[in-house]
Amino acid sequence: MVESLKDKLIDILINGKLIKQKDLDKALAIQKKSGGNLGKILVDQNLISQKDLMLALSRQLSIPPIDLSKYKIDRKLIQLIPERVARQYLIVPISRLANMLTVAMADPLNILAMDDLKMLTSYKIEPIIATSNDITEAINTYYGLNTQDMAKILDEAPSDIVVEGTEEEKIDVSGVIEESKSAPIVKIVSLILNEAMKRRASDIHIEPFEKSLKVRYRIDGALHEALTLPKKNQNAVIARLKIMSKLDITETRMPQDGRFKISFEGKEIDFRVSILPVAFGGKIVLRALDKSSLSIGLEKLGFLPEPLATFKTALANPYGMILVTGPTGSGKSTTLYSVINQMNTSDRNIITLEDPVEYEVDGITQIQAKPEIGLSFANGLKSVLRQSPDIVMVGEIRDFETADIAIKASLTGQLILSTLHTNDAASAITRLIDMGVEPFLVASSLVMSSAQRLARKICPNCKEEVEIPDKVLERAGLGHAEIAKMSSKKFFSGKGCQKCNKTGYYGRLAILEALLLDDRIRDMIVKKTSSDEIKDYAIKNLKMMTLRDNALINFVNGITTLEEVLRVTSED
């Protein structure tokens, strides 16, 4: 039976001329080796789009398709199918009429799913087709965190914790530990983490106020309020997270840092935990670090071909220094980790020195800097260089001593990767000189300086065309001649929908400014030429694409908005 269903899908794809025979053979070989659903393999390998697959199945099987993003589902129906089953089979209930339950499915040929649903619900099952992405979004939305449900869970939690005053909390530690292990508190923390992952949050902010504990998620760079918890549960929630992070539960006056791991949808997610004492308790910020993002390579981070080619040229050097600059949260660490993850082979000795260690990567020696015990970046780097490394990643160059050691190491055969906080690529050069590094050492060691930003992408689900006057385009940095050359003046923005939480944006892309040093720039560095002059030379003679240029190209290509271009970049 299973074989005949696969044959039917193959016939649909071949007869509909949706796929070439060689591509089908490739997918079948992957299925034979690793198993799995043939349709999913075809989509994962980019051999067919989810929408084309859905429409082909709809036509051939006479099953209607549905756009779930424009359909509101009754939450009472959701209770008929457990979340585990919905995720396992990629299904979501749509409507119920008498003894007939209509469900949206990514794979309507899955007879096993239909049989299981029939047994589970005692209804006859009528399938309609939706894309797997739409179904996943619907599951995340309708099976997500419900404030009323959370309040009900928290009402079950004990509240015999002693809290007096506002300046300093007097905590019954034994009571807090017991409460933090109680089922409602464990469940509530798990729900907060689970919901954050469903919403693609990069950070979770748990913030104590006088009468409440607020939870906010940072999604695509912007904070969104998620829920408010009763003040009486504050100590237990904080204690639960401290226990998970292996931190001292009795310490309430000093900042603390820790980490823990969770498993989510088959992926391992690291959380970096920072706890800061504030007026009404301890504010906690958890940063989610998804290791799977490191293996996608530089090509998938969103860089345009020109700066990406410059970056790859720099990485081909066996020694020297490569700097990635930008503000906090601009994706510098992810870029550098993607680089060393690709270079992580058995014939290379790669060592990182960080504060804190962001991602834990097998095959790489990673060192946590601890300035309080004398293990600073500078001291740590001296010891690292005695370990005969091929590639060294220094989390950040903050002072002269670290910069001096790193630069001299890059001149003696090591490839040094690091970050700086500057606004553009050229400013990194003058920042090193301002730290006290001799200009001739900077000129001799620096291979490439780059600057990076993260821009939000337009939500593909609610993308709509907008009109932008030529004068506005010119003020943003597009010259009159460039505007005249445009074959189509179609510009887009996001209207706001359920998928993007009414923001109009979904996901982010990295924009890069890469400055590869040549002999002329090295002469300019030795002569202490200003960063503005170096930047002007690079733009005119090396055709360097600036951050604003990068962002404008992504805007013209319909990937981001003009507002986002102006938000993340400054005028050149």
Side-chain angles (χ1 to χ4, degrees), residues 335-463:
T335 297
L336 288 181
Y337 266 105
S338 296
V339 168
I340 62 173
N341 199 55
Q342 287 186 315
M343 300 175 109
N344 184 15
T345 56
S346 58
D347 61 334
R348 288 191 178 105
N349 179 18
I350 303 176
I351 302 178
T352 73
L353 182 60
E354 308 164 71
D355 184 20
V357 171
E358 297 266 4
Y359 299 91
E360 294 175 352
V361 183
D362 290 337
I364 294 175
T365 303
Q366 295 174 275
I367 302 168
Q368 167 75 56
K370 295 180 180 177
E372 66 274 12
I373 63 170
L375 183 56
S376 62
F377 278 130
N379 292 336
L381 191 52
K382 289 176 184 176
S383 300
V384 163
L385 295 174
R386 299 188 192 108
Q387 295 282 316
S388 183
D390 298 296
I391 300 170
V392 178
M393 187 181 92
V394 182
E396 183 185 344
I397 292 178
R398 300 173 180 170
D399 51 47
F400 164 72
E401 192 176 4
T402 306
D404 188 54
I405 297 167
I407 282 176
K408 287 174 180 174
S410 70
L411 292 171
T412 56
Q414 279 84 33
L415 182 63
I416 307 292
L417 309 173
S418 191
T419 68
L420 270 179
H421 287 288
T422 60
N423 291 326
D424 57 23
S427 297
I429 296 168
T430 50
R431 175 64 58 84
L432 289 172
I433 294 172
D434 289 344
M435 283 182 182
V437 180
E438 290 291 343
F440 76 90
L441 288 176
V442 176
S444 302
S445 62
L446 193 60
V447 175
M448 184 195 77
S449 171
S450 67
Q452 186 172 310
R453 298 290 188 278
L454 290 177
R456 293 180 292 176
K457 295 192 289 187
I458 300 170
C459 174
N461 191 58
C462 59
K463 190 175 183 178

Side-chain angles (χ1 to χ4, degrees), residues 513-527:
E513 174 181 292
L515 173 60
L516 191 67
L517 275 66
D518 66 359
D519 290 339
R520 172 66 183 139
I521 291 179
R522 296 184 199 284
D523 287 340
M524 294 170 81
I525 293 172
V526 172
K527 293 175 182 176

Side-chain angles (χ1 to χ4, degrees), residues 173-221:
V173 176
S174 60
V176 170
I177 293 174
E178 286 307 310
E179 187 189 352
S180 71
K181 293 178 181 176
S182 70
I185 296 299
V186 171
K187 188 171 184 179
I188 215 72
V189 171
S190 297
L191 283 171
I192 290 170
L193 298 175
N194 196 45
E195 184 70 6
M197 294 300 94
K198 286 179 182 178
R199 295 199 196 179
R200 305 175 297 106
S202 60
D203 300 85
I204 305 170
H205 291 241
I206 301 174
E207 303 163 307
F209 291 92
E210 185 176 5
K211 296 179 180 179
S212 64
L213 185 69
K214 292 187 183 295
V215 179
R216 294 193 290 172
Y217 297 143
R218 188 176 294 280
I219 303 168
D220 295 332

Side-chain angles (χ1 to χ4, degrees), residues 223-241:
L223 279 170
H224 300 271
E225 190 162 324
L227 68 152
T228 301
L229 303 178
K231 185 70 174 179
K232 68 176 184 177
N233 302 115
Q234 173 179 310
N235 293 330
V237 169
I238 293 173
R240 174 64 185 162
L241 287 165

Side-chain angles (χ1 to χ4, degrees), residues 287 294 298 301 303 311 324-338 358-359 419 451-455 508-512:
R287 170 156 289 188
L294 304 182
L298 291 173
L301 293 178
F303 297 147
F311 207 116
V324 180
T325 75
T328 301
S330 59
K332 302 186 298 295
S333 295
T334 300
T335 297
L336 288 181
Y337 266 105
S338 296
E358 297 266 4
Y359 299 91
T419 68
Q452 186 172 310
R453 298 290 188 278
L454 290 177
R508 291 190 288 180
L509 76 153
I511 54 176
L512 182 72

Side-chain angles (χ1 to χ4, degrees), residues 73-83 92-93 138 142-143:
I73 301 172
D74 186 346
R75 285 192 178 270
K76 291 180 180 177
L77 287 176
I78 292 295
Q79 297 172 9
L80 295 173
I81 301 175
E83 182 177 359
V92 65
Y142 291 101
Y143 286 92

